[in-house]
Amino acid sequence: MIFDTIVAKTTANGTSAINLIRISGSESITIVNKIFKGVNLEKQLSHTTHYGFIMNNNEQIDEVLVTIFREPKSFTTEDIVEIACHGGNFIANEIIKLLIANGARLAENGEFTKRAYLNGRLDLTEAESIMDLVNSKNFNQLKIANSQLRGDVLRLVDKLQNDVLDIVANIEVNIDYPEYDDVVEMTNDIIIPNIKILLNKIEKILVESQTGQIIRDGIKTVIVGKPNVGKSSLLNTLLKEDKAIVTEISGTTRDLIEAELNLDGIILKLIDTAGIRVTDDIVERIGINKTKKAISEADLILLVLDQSSNITSMDNELLQITKDKQRIIIGNKIDLGSKLNLEDEHIINISAKNNIGIDKLSAEVKRLFVDEKLLSEDYTLLSNTRHIGKLEETKIALTQALEAAEEQIPIDMVEIDLRKAWSSLGEITGENTSDDLISTLFSKFCLGK
Ligand SMILES: Nc1nc2c(ncn2[C@@H]2O[C@H](COP(=O)(O)OP(=O)(O)OP(=O)(O)O)[C@@H](O)[C@H]2O)c(=O)[nH]1
Ligand SMILES: [Mg+2]
């Protein structure tokens, strides 16, 4: 595909030593050459770097290094020029203005990567992984993003698509020989076991993807408990900083306090809440309502109880409210006693104030959410919600195909469901995807990517 020539600053705004400006498109070398004093760029080989100056007529703008990548061996597969200029927004903006005056257009968010995708250099999963790579905050996230960038997800999805096609091929072969009376029966005997094997494979991938998703997006974790049990103290101890106000007065925390914690490679999106109790105080009541909403949206509840006093009706109510959620029950203030006796419940005893037992809490979070085995091996984990959603659609279509086959419904009806499964898979890699989705996906990228 031929596109116009686009330009953007790839480095972030602010003061830095160097900025990198990227230009992509068939005119990129010609355009840069017009404002470059040094060698004639149009005569230079691909993958070479050249020292010189960016000039506005006779005015020197900056001393730069210019690197040339000739098509098709570039990120977008088009001619790309990268200008490494000095840092600061002013210089970069002046150079970009000159490039635009000479025929380039300012790129949209994610447009370079979008071109790489549209020109077949990357599939959609590889393109999306670049965003994850840039956003990664720990080694687990980096590992998953790199695996996706290497094409692991693409290959996994390709294999599943081939499995679907094999099944469809079985149907087509038999449809081509209608002289057999028992075509439907015969075909079903072959395809039913194959659909079942494929469904099992997909279910396994979906279960494993829970770990991937947790690694990529973090665990939305809400700390709840009655007033004064030490919720804010726990937040502070986990974060190793005094983020939330802690006092001996009940009802200290009124609003939700949010913080992010990197717990040995797992991101916890922590929310400290207002202690739940019956109160006439209007501000506190609003806080308590927010707490209840946060509970309903949480992936994980840390329910804090007080080991230094007996269980109260409020504790029981909280145990009840959170019983269907993934939760960890914490016995705080273990330094003051051990009064709680909850049968059938596993309690992790800690002292938030004295930093006791916090490692047990971390271990429990990992035990509940992360299959470490999957991370230690070279596994392909789906982590992106969009991919997982499409795989779930595939599973539904295959289940319908299986049910139809088992009920001896005409074979071409079964084939419709199988084709639906095949195209849901194709949407993961972008093989068949709407323009709207592509625009939305890439607009989430930042400028210059
Ligand atoms: N002895 C002891 N005191 C603790 C412990 N954890 C917290 N406290 C104390 O308990 C009191 C209340 O702590 P907070 O962390 O403010 O409790 P909270 O649950 O956030 O309270 P609200 O925001 O009012 O709902 C403070 O005086 C803390 O120092 C602990 O492990 N041991
Ligand atoms: Mg508090």
Side-chain angles (χ1 to χ4, degrees):
M1 270 182 250
I2 305 281
F3 297 107
D4 54 353
T5 297
I6 52 174
V7 56
K9 183 155 80 83
T10 64
T11 35
N13 282 337
T15 311
S16 62
I18 286 170
N19 269 323
L20 193 73
I21 297 166
R22 188 191 256 167
I23 305 106
S24 179
S26 54
E27 293 297 304
S28 59
I29 297 173
T30 313
I31 292 173
V32 176
N33 203 36
K34 286 191 211 162
I35 61 167
F36 181 71
K37 193 169 104 184
V39 291
N40 181 353
L41 296 174
E42 303 212 64
K43 299 219 165 108
Q44 307 306 318
L45 296 173
S46 184
H47 293 72
T48 55
T49 300
H50 309 278
Y51 170 79
F53 300 88
I54 296 294
M55 306 294 294
N56 182 6
N57 297 318
N58 291 325
E59 178 107 48
Q60 178 180 323
I61 303 295
D62 196 15
E63 185 185 23
V64 296
L65 283 177
V66 170
T67 307
I68 287 175
F69 304 88
R70 290 191 181 272
E71 58 92 22
K73 285 193 162 179
S74 78
F75 177 58
T76 56
T77 77
E78 303 166 346
D79 281 349
I80 284 187
V81 182
E82 286 182 355
I83 303 174
C85 62
H86 284 103
N89 294 338
F90 182 72
I91 295 175
N93 286 344
E94 285 305 300
I95 296 176
I96 289 171
K97 271 197 253 168
L98 280 174
L99 291 166
I100 290 173
N102 281 283
R105 164 175 72 74
L106 194 62
E108 291 162 16
N109 287 11
E111 200 171 0
F112 293 93
T113 316
K114 186 177 175 182
R115 286 191 176 186
Y117 161 71
L118 291 173
N119 289 329
R121 163 89 163 66
L122 301 171
D123 85 302
L124 212 47
T125 66
E126 290 164 338
E128 286 171 299
S129 73
I130 295 175
M131 180 97 139
D132 291 350
L133 210 58
V134 174
N135 288 334
S136 63
K137 297 190 191 85
N138 59 47
F139 266 112
N140 287 332
Q141 290 181 329
L142 184 63
K143 195 172 163 183
I144 287 183
N146 268 327
S147 144
Q148 197 172 313
L149 182 61
R150 279 197 305 267
D152 289 349
V153 172
L154 170 65
R155 276 185 291 275
L156 182 78
V157 172
D158 271 353
K159 261 193 225 142
L160 295 175
Q161 274 193 310
N162 280 335
D163 288 347
V164 176
L165 280 186
D166 282 346
I167 299 170
V168 171
N170 271 311
I171 295 177
E172 297 279 336
V173 165
N174 288 345
I175 285 179
D176 286 346
Y177 295 98
E179 60 270 29
Y180 296 112
D181 292 339
D182 56 351
V183 156
V184 171
E185 220 169 289
M186 198 184 75
T187 311
N188 282 345
D189 285 349
I190 301 170
I191 67 168
I192 287 175
N194 285 340
I195 298 178
K196 282 185 180 162
I197 292 171
L198 184 53
L199 267 171
N200 278 340
K201 232 194 229 180
I202 288 177
E203 260 151 31
K204 185 162 172 273
I205 297 170
L206 283 171
V207 169
E208 289 166 352
S209 71
Q210 287 166 7
T211 293
Q213 198 170 18
I214 288 292
I215 297 294
R216 180 179 184 267
D217 300 334
I219 306 170
K220 200 164 183 194
T221 308
V222 179
I223 308 175
V224 294
K226 66 189 170 199
N228 229 28
V229 289
K231 297 179 295 300
S232 301
S233 303
L234 174 59
L235 179 85
N236 290 348
T237 303
L238 286 169
L239 294 176
K240 300 189 177 79
E241 64 170 294
D242 285 338
K243 170 115 184 168
I245 299 172
V246 168
T247 74
E248 64 288 349
I249 306 161
S250 282
T252 299
T253 308
R254 301 295 189 88
D255 211 344
L256 303 182
I257 301 174
E258 302 191 20
E260 210 169 270
L261 169 70
N262 190 354
L263 189 91
D264 294 337
I266 318 288
I267 303 287
L268 290 195
K269 294 185 167 159
L270 283 168
I271 303 179
D272 177 24
T273 62
I276 295 193
R277 64 172 169 181
V278 179
T279 174
D280 290 335
D281 184 312
I282 182 158
V283 179
E284 197 179 348
R285 252 199 345 248
I286 294 171
I288 291 172
N289 283 337
K290 284 194 183 180
T291 302
K292 289 184 174 160
K293 185 161 178 280
I295 292 175
S296 68
E297 292 168 357
D299 299 321
L300 171 66
I301 306 286
L302 301 182
L303 174 55
V304 188
L305 304 176
D306 184 349
Q307 273 289 16
S308 70
S309 60
N310 291 320
I311 201 122
T312 63
S313 57
M314 192 46 77
D315 291 329
N316 279 322
E317 198 176 320
L318 285 167
L319 281 162
Q320 191 60 27
I321 295 176
T322 57
K323 80 173 187 317
D324 295 328
K325 305 282 302 186
Q326 186 82 269
R327 71 176 178 194
I328 298 175
I329 300 175
I330 294 166
N332 189 33
K333 308 197 187 181
I334 191 70
D335 54 309
L336 297 181
S338 167
K339 290 198 172 159
L340 293 178
N341 183 14
L342 287 179
E343 273 171 21
D344 304 330
E345 297 288 5
H346 177 53
I347 302 184
I348 306 246
N349 289 318
I350 65 161
S351 168
K353 188 173 164 185
N354 303 302
N355 200 352
I356 298 168
I358 303 299
D359 46 342
K360 276 186 294 179
L361 180 58
S362 317
E364 183 67 1
V365 171
K366 284 195 152 184
R367 192 185 68 78
L368 287 176
F369 285 91
V370 179
D371 189 338
E372 302 252 12
K373 222 172 59 232
L374 297 181
L375 289 174
S376 59
E377 289 167 24
D378 258 344
Y379 242 86
T380 304
L381 280 178
L382 251 51
S383 61
N384 184 313
T385 318
R386 191 185 73 79
H387 305 168
I388 295 168
K390 288 290 156 201
L391 195 61
E392 260 153 11
E393 273 178 36
T394 310
K395 183 180 143 185
I396 291 170
L398 282 174
T399 309
Q400 281 164 353
L402 181 65
E403 282 166 9
E406 281 174 339
E407 284 165 25
Q408 307 282 343
I409 282 172
I411 207 74
D412 38 352
M413 301 299 283
V414 178
E415 199 178 326
I416 291 176
D417 286 326
L418 288 170
R419 287 191 182 275
K420 213 189 290 164
W422 183 82
S423 82
S424 291
L425 289 168
E427 284 177 56
I428 298 180
T429 54
E431 192 175 282
N432 47 325
T433 308
S434 72
D435 291 350
D436 279 356
L437 175 79
I438 299 299
S439 301
T440 316
L441 273 182
F442 287 105
S443 67
K444 289 188 191 141
F445 278 53
C446 55
L447 197 62
K449 226 188 284 163

